[in-house]
């Protein structure tokens, strides 16, 4: 885990990455938050096939133990963030879910069923998939730099790992854990998301009390394509969190 420690009023942010798991794609958000933000970026093994059940203890072991923190789960990592928050780890003060889901998002991933998943994943690192992946995740106006960043992150993940993660998404369902989350929560929704449909937020609105919904222009890769707006929403959410109890 990479750690940037800086003084400030905001609690530490623990960032759980999207499907690639590298954490590299948080760079635009980290830059937008600025050097005053204390950020932990959790990274998943790119060559070891691990599902949600195996990733959860890996992430749990990296949570801060000596200071308050806010947990952010991006896309694939939303169910992980929910499971961790439901267990109420010490120091957790808030939960942020970005373009994520509590159960399989449909119809956004419908093409990944009926045998098309294995085929599409075999082509993951081919030139044929670059434009469709860029458009799906980053929208039609992604900069060359952002597109290169996406490709570089995907190259670090084996086809077997990515295929397994996609299959995990197809069967995940953590809706029963939402009611056990005891901290304020925010959902960042991308208005041009082609992966997770807007109705996915309904499960969070039913299961999380007083969920704060923030809708922003951008594609599924909201933190990458709209980092400044995302950073402002995150900062506002963190500043509005209740102060931690005073030490006796």
């Amino acid at each position: 885990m990479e750690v940037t420690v800086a003084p400030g009023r905001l609690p530490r942010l623990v960032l759980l990455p999207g499907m690639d798991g590298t954490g590299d794609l948080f760079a635009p958000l980290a830059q937008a938050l600025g050097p005053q933000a204390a950020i932990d970026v959790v990274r998943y093994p790119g060559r070891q096939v691990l599902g949600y059940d195996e990733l959860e203890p890996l992430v749990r072991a990296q949570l801060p133990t000596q200071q308050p923190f806010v947990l952010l789960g991006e896309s694939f990592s939303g169910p992980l963030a929910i499971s961790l928050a439901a267990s109420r780890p010490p120091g957790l003060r808030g939960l942020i879910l970005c373009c994520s889901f509590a159960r399989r998002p449909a119809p956004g991933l419908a093409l990944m069923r009926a045998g098309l998943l294995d085929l599409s994943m075999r082509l993951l690192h081919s030139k044929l998939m670059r434009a469709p992946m860029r458009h799906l995740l980053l929208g039609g106006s992604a900069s060359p730099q952002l597109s290169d960043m996406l490709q570089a992150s995907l190259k670090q993940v084996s086809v077997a790992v990515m295929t397994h993660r996609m299959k995990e998404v197809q069967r995940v369902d953590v809706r029963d854990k939402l009611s056990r989350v005891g901290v304020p929560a925010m959902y960042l929704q991308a208005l041009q998301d082609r992966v997770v449909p807007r109705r996915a937020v309904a499960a969070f609105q039913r299961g999380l009390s007083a969920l704060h919904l923030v809708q922003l222009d951008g594609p599924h890769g909201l933190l990458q394509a709209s980092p400044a707006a995302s950073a402002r929403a995150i900062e506002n959410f963190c500043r509005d969190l209740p102060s931690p109890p005073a030490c006796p």
Side-chain angles (χ1 to χ4, degrees):
M1 176 164 37
E2 294 184 354
V3 179
T4 302
V5 180
R9 290 169 33 192
L10 300 183
R12 179 174 293 277
L13 288 171
V14 179
L15 307 181
L16 308 187
M19 183 75 71
D20 66 290
T22 65
D24 292 349
L25 293 174
F26 284 129
L29 176 66
Q31 183 176 6
L33 287 168
Q36 75 282 358
I39 299 173
D40 295 354
V41 177
V42 176
R43 302 175 185 275
Y44 307 148
R47 304 293 171 180
Q48 186 178 1
V49 176
L50 301 174
Y52 283 121
D53 290 342
E54 294 82 20
L55 287 170
E56 184 171 336
L58 182 152
V59 176
R60 189 183 300 277
Q62 300 182 66
L63 296 179
T65 57
Q66 301 297 323
Q67 60 188 131
F69 68 97
V70 169
L71 190 61
L72 184 153
E74 180 187 24
S75 187
F76 168 82
S77 287
L80 271 175
I82 293 165
S83 292
L84 290 163
S87 70
R88 304 194 175 191
L92 180 65
R93 289 182 55 198
L95 172 66
I96 300 173
L97 301 162
C98 180
C99 301
S100 193
F101 43 87
R103 68 184 296 268
R104 174 179 57 81
L109 294 177
L111 292 178
M112 295 303 177
R113 299 197 297 275
L116 294 178
L117 172 61
D118 290 332
L119 174 60
S120 62
M121 289 299 100
R122 282 198 297 272
L123 298 173
L124 177 66
H125 296 146
S126 69
K127 291 182 179 180
L128 183 65
M129 288 291 289
R130 288 181 185 175
M133 289 292 287
R134 181 180 67 247
H135 194 265
L136 181 68
L137 300 177
L138 301 177
S141 59
S143 67
Q145 180 182 8
L146 193 54
S147 299
D148 290 345
M149 186 183 301
L150 173 63
Q151 289 304 317
S153 69
L154 292 176
K155 286 180 180 178
Q156 298 180 54
V157 189
S158 72
V159 170
V161 166
M162 192 67 80
T163 301
H164 188 72
R165 289 176 185 168
M166 286 295 303
K167 289 180 178 179
E168 286 286 279
V169 168
Q170 295 294 336
R171 55 178 170 253
V172 72
D173 190 344
V174 294
R175 289 175 295 174
D176 61 326
K177 298 182 180 182
L178 292 171
S179 62
R180 302 202 295 271
V181 176
V183 294
M186 176 175 70
Y187 187 88
L188 291 176
Q189 185 175 58
L191 293 178
Q192 289 81 46
D193 196 335
R194 289 185 170 88
V195 177
V196 177
R198 292 193 191 185
R199 67 169 177 266
V201 75
F204 298 121
Q205 292 173 319
R206 288 192 295 267
L208 294 170
S209 60
L211 176 73
H212 182 44
L213 172 63
V214 176
Q215 296 177 314
L216 298 174
D217 284 324
H220 182 70
L222 184 65
L223 303 181
Q224 294 75 40
S226 303
S230 300
R232 285 195 298 270
I234 291 169
E235 289 170 344
N236 291 336
F237 173 75
C238 290
R239 287 197 178 97
D240 289 341
L241 290 172
S243 300
C247 296

